[in-house]
Each structure stands twice: as structure tokens, then as C-alpha cells.
Amino acid sequence: MKLSNRMSLGPAGCALSAFILCGSAAADWRDESIARLQQAPHDLAAEAATRAAAPTPPPAPAPATGQSDPSGDFANYSLVTPPPTSSNPFFIPQGTNGRYCGSCHKAADAWSLSPAEVQSDFQNSSGNAPLFRPVDGAVCPTAAVATLVQRQAAYTLLLSRALIRIGLPIPANAQFRVAVSSDPYGCNTNPATGLTSPGSGIVSVYRRPLPSTNLAYLSTIMWDGREPSLAQQVTDAILGHEQASSDPGAAVLSTITGFESNLFTSQIEDNAAGSLTTGGASAGPFALANQSVGFYDGVNDPFGHNPTHTAFNPNVFTMFSNWFNSPTGLDAAAQSIARGENLFNTLPFNISGVGGLNDVVGVASIRGTCSVCHDTPSAGGHSIAQFMDIGVAHPPPPAPAGATPPLTTAGLPLFNVQCVTGPLVGSSMQLSDLGRAMITGNCADLGHFKVPGLRGLPARAPYFHNGSAATLANVVDFYNGRFNLNLSAQQRQDLINFLQSL
């Protein structure tokens, strides 16, 4: 069975809802951003070292073969037989700097990128591996990288949080003006690499690579939704991140998008509970792949965007429902996972102050569960292209005395953003990342990001778009404080254990 390439959908998909940006405005960022990446300085010494070493990309794990992560094992499954890495352009450099898709989307990290893998690559190559290129791996493309000490400084955010620099031009139609409050690396205040005025130039922010698996469940591509299709995203990645001089050919695009869109990844083994696919449980990539045929844009949407008008079902995850309903004979770890899944689906709380949600539906406080936003069955993303602000890009509030804050934005830039036109004229905020607004130009989109899928979580810490949550415990603690969940110690641990089983 081969998955149809529903993600090749372009502007025709814009009819679904007002959340999707159509037409030329969505592409305004592309010309300048890609051109700057292509023109960014090369680390010629590192590229020469890479060519001399002629490294062979590691093979992708065999289907259903467990690969370890901090919580247990995950596995991959493909609906088609993928080409071997020796002939798969996902693992072969297409540009000029030695990188390939798998440089930032590593099989060992559930097709994302972890600080542990980055640090290992750095140590093994003295910072010369293809991942370490000034174009966007460094805190600024002009960062010095001649010596090992300089490379350690230049790639500090990559090494510590696996963050990639994203440089985007302020849209010509922007309703806001930007002032730099904190610029740790001088990239945003230097007119050659950053802002040329409060309303023009480049804003550099730092984001986590999204996983290149489970894409059959995607309703939007990239944290800010800037790419209209998977084929365009691959093209822009090759032109930008790999600094190619020309577009990839149709055969390259078809092979890469086919490989990605038919790949599924999920946890199969838990360190404490054991197998997650036996005893009535239905986790793992096989079930995830089979269930993907039921996905469509708007499926299970709670706010009227489901084209079939089927009622919203808060039970988004049901892999462990048999465990929950029949706990007799299960060990404590398995029972905890099952309780966590039930909490995710059913624990009610007040959802308020979420930009892109409360203001859009016109309800100040929505009584709901985690699955209101993570509404895609089996995968946990959001089934329409809707972008939300839950506060992750804002300066984190101070933690109580003696407590460690769940999120940290240390080392990230900070921008003062003032709305000068449009419905929010006169309002302002501080942000480490302007989010979707850098694509639309709208103040209403400041600090808004996509709701990501949740499968394969344990292998790809840290979390959120900026890596501000180091662990899944930090994620749960953030939500507990942000939405006043009032979790007991047992409920907190149950939710953590459940997220670690995805």
C-alpha cells in the first residue's frame, strides 16, 4: 500500500479555512531568505575535511527494529520499500556544502535532531561534520569558525539545544515594527545580517528541526506554515540549508518526498512497562501507519472545520485503552501509562489566553482537554493549519522561590514588537521569535506556531519550537502552570509516562 501524496497540495488547499495563507503573500519570504542562505559564507576548510573523509551516511534502522532512546525503544515502518541509503537522495548531498537531509533529520533521533547526536558529531569531527556549517548551523552566518574554540562558540545553540538559525525578512505588509532588546550574537543588530530599520531587514530566530516522519498526518508544514507543499519544502531546504546552486530535479524530489511521506515512527518499548504493542496495547509504527488512511484536513476538529461534520471526539489516543479498562495483571508502569492516556483525553481544564484559538473562536475560556488542540487521532497534531500562541516565545515568568522554571529561553534573542497598524494597533509584546507573523505580516499572528504531532517524542528532546523544555517533565510542568491543571503528583507522573510511550 502506498500513501497518496496529499501533501503535494498547494494553494487549492487554501479553501479549507481562514487559517491558511494563500497566494503570493505566503512566498514573499522565499526569495530573500533563500538567496541569503545561498550566499552565506562557506567553511571551506570543514567542507574540504568532509570531502577527504568521504563519510558514508548511517543506514536507516530496519523496519520494526527497535532503536534505543532515553525512555526505551522506537521503531520505523514504511508503507513502501524505501531505496537504500546509497541511492536515496535523502542521504546524499545535493548542494555545495556537504549536507544532506539526514544531516539534520537523523534516524537515531526519530528523524529530528538531539543535542546528544549533535555533540557526538562535533566531538567526532572537531566540528567539521556537514551539520556544522555557518549558513544556519551557526548563531550567525558571519560567526568565526576557523578554530575549534571558535566553532564551539559559533555552534553553541546547535550543541546545547539542537537549534537551527532561521533568517526571515520582515514582510513588506508588516503591521508591526521590531526593535532588538537582546542580541547575544550580534546577528540581528548588524545591518549586514539583520535589521536595517524597525520595519525592514532580516530577523534571525532559532528553531528545532521538525521530524521528517509521520508526515501523512500533517496539516501544515514548518513551525510557521511557510511552505505550501512538501515538494517546495524539500526544494527550499536543498537550495538553502544545503546551499545548492539550482533546483533539485523531479526525480530527486519524488524520491525524497516519497521516502518521507510513507515513513512512520513510534515508540515500541518502554524501559519500565516493556512492550507497548502487546497485551491489548496498539502503539508502534505499524498501527500508526494503518490508521493514517483515516486522516484528512479537519478530521476531529472541535470548532466546525471538519468537512464531514462529524462530532469532535476527545479520545484522540486509544492505544492503551484496553490497559486502562482492564488493568488487572498489568504492572504499575503499564497502568501509569494507561492512566496518563486517559488524563490526556479527559482531564478538563479552562483554555484561556491562547492566541489563535480563544480570539479566533470568540470564546474567552474554553472548557476542554489536551485533545482540543492536539485533535488529530493517533498522532496528536492539529488537523487544520491553525497557529497558536501558548506563551512559549514570550519571556518565561519567574519560578517560585527555590523552584526551577520549566522553560528557559537563555541564549535566545529578544525583540520588542510594536503594532503600528491593523486591528491591534498600539499593542506591543516581547518575543524571542515572532512566529507566523513573519510570514503573514499580521500582528494577530505574533508568537503563533503550529501544534506539532506527538509520536516519537522520547527520542527528540528538547521540546517546543525553541527547545525551551529540556524534558517531557518540563513540558508537563509548563502546561500544569500555564493552564492551572492542578495535577497531583501521581497525575503528573502518569502524563509524563504516557508522553514517553508515544
Side-chain angles (χ1 to χ4, degrees), residues 244-390:
S245 56
S246 60
D247 287 2
V252 168
L253 285 179
S254 177
T255 304
I256 292 176
T257 57
F259 173 72
E260 292 181 325
S261 60
N262 285 286
L263 184 64
F264 296 85
T265 304
S266 174
Q267 205 77 355
I268 59 168
E269 189 91 10
D270 181 79
N271 286 333
S275 173
L276 300 171
T277 61
T278 59
S282 58
F286 293 109
L288 185 62
N290 290 331
Q291 292 156 359
S292 70
V293 297
F295 177 79
Y296 53 86
D297 288 333
V299 63
N300 204 40
D301 180 79
F303 299 109
H305 295 284
N306 188 332
T308 69
H309 306 292
T310 304
F312 168 67
N313 182 354
N315 296 307
V316 163
F317 291 111
T318 58
M319 296 92 68
F320 308 109
S321 58
N322 287 336
W323 286 3
F324 182 77
N325 294 326
S326 303
T328 303
L330 293 176
D331 62 24
Q335 291 184 41
S336 176
I337 289 171
R339 290 194 304 267
E341 179 182 75
N342 185 66
L343 284 168
F344 187 97
N345 292 332
T346 66
L347 179 70
F349 58 93
N350 293 322
I351 304 170
S352 61
V354 176
L357 181 59
N358 295 100
D359 52 341
V360 169
V361 302
V363 179
S365 183
I366 300 167
R367 192 69 173 169
T369 68
C370 299
S371 52
V372 165
C373 294
H374 294 275
D375 62 9
T376 300
S378 302
H382 199 68
S383 68
I384 66 170
Q386 187 171 358
F387 304 85
M388 302 185 193
D389 176 12
I390 59 172

Side-chain angles (χ1 to χ4, degrees), residues 391-399 405-410 412 414 430 432 466 468 478:
V392 176
H394 299 255
L407 305 186
T408 177
T409 55
L412 298 180
L414 189 62
Q430 279 196 322
S432 59
N466 54 10
S468 55
F478 167 74

Side-chain angles (χ1 to χ4, degrees), residues 8 16 34 197 235 281 284 292 321 346 371 417 443 454 476:
S8 64
L16 177 64
I34 296 298
S197 77
T235 298
S292 70
S321 58
T346 66
S371 52
V417 187
C443 277
L454 300 179
V476 171

Side-chain angles (χ1 to χ4, degrees), residues 210 218 220-224 386-388 448-452:
L210 286 158
L218 282 191
T220 187
I221 301 171
M222 312 301 283
W223 284 108
D224 53 18
Q386 187 171 358
F387 304 85
M388 302 185 193
H448 288 51
F449 299 89
K450 69 175 285 181
V451 179

